[in-house]
């Protein structure tokens, strides 16, 4: 059985906790549905930005365990690097990785979510549910 993953923005860890039980959509938070598609955002950002994964800070667990839903706050370095990816690089990456239309939409939506987080000085979070 896989892990369900959504990425979302919130103004604080407290606000992000509203997403814990049912996910960010149910908590009316801006999010990108990555269920069944992506669970390691920092790896994607390293590939998009051309930076080494070690250059990014670690995600921080806000709440969670192995038995139920969990929340992680993405490192600000990861969010800022994703927000800085331009459309030309997204296109190059899509060609390099042979992404289909759905995947291109997801990558673009994640980049736009990161831009929103940076612009509003919010955190970007990962909601995971086993």
């Amino acid at each position: 059985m896989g892990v369900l993953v959504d990425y979302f923005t919130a103004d604080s860890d407290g606000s992000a906790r509203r997403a814990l039980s049912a996910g960010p959509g149910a908590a009316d938070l801006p999010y990108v549905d990555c269920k069944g598609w992506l669970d390691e955002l920092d790896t994607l950002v390293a590939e998009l930005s051309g930076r080494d994964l070690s250059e990014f800070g670690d995600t921080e667990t806000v709440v969670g365990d192995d038995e139920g839903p969990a929340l992680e706050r993405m490192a600000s370095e990861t969010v800022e690097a994703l927000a800085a990816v331009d459309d030309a690089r997204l296109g190059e990456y899509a060609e390099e990785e042979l992404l289909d239309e759905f995947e291109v939409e997801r990558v673009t939506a994640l980049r736009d979510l990161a831009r929103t987080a940076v612009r509003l000085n919010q955190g970007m979070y990962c909601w995971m549910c086993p």
Side-chain angles (χ1 to χ4, degrees):
M1 177 176 1
V3 175
L4 304 178
V5 176
D6 289 336
Y7 290 92
F8 67 100
T9 61
D11 61 5
S12 68
D13 289 355
S15 293
R17 282 186 174 92
R18 294 187 348 233
L20 186 60
S21 63
D28 200 31
L29 293 165
Y31 75 102
V32 176
D33 181 342
C34 291
K35 294 175 187 77
W37 180 70
L38 175 72
D39 59 1
E40 295 292 333
L41 183 65
D42 50 356
T43 301
L44 173 67
V45 175
E47 292 172 358
L48 282 167
S49 66
R51 295 171 57 186
D52 189 84
L53 190 57
S54 66
E55 294 180 46
F56 303 119
D58 294 328
T59 60
E60 292 184 37
T61 300
V62 175
V63 65
D65 56 41
D66 293 337
E67 299 298 317
L71 294 175
E72 292 182 344
R73 184 178 350 93
M74 306 308 300
S76 61
E77 297 92 345
T78 304
V79 178
E80 290 166 5
L82 180 55
V85 174
D86 62 23
D87 289 338
R89 177 59 190 135
L90 284 177
E92 291 169 3
Y93 181 78
E95 286 183 25
E96 291 166 4
E97 298 299 319
L98 303 175
L99 300 183
D100 64 29
E101 186 176 333
F102 171 81
E103 294 168 317
V104 172
E105 289 172 0
R106 294 288 69 110
V107 173
T108 302
L110 285 166
R111 188 273 317 267
D112 293 348
L113 188 70
R115 286 181 173 179
T116 298
V118 169
R119 186 180 76 249
L120 298 176
N121 197 30
Q122 293 186 341
M124 190 164 167
Y125 296 83
C126 177
W127 173 81
M128 298 168 287
C129 187

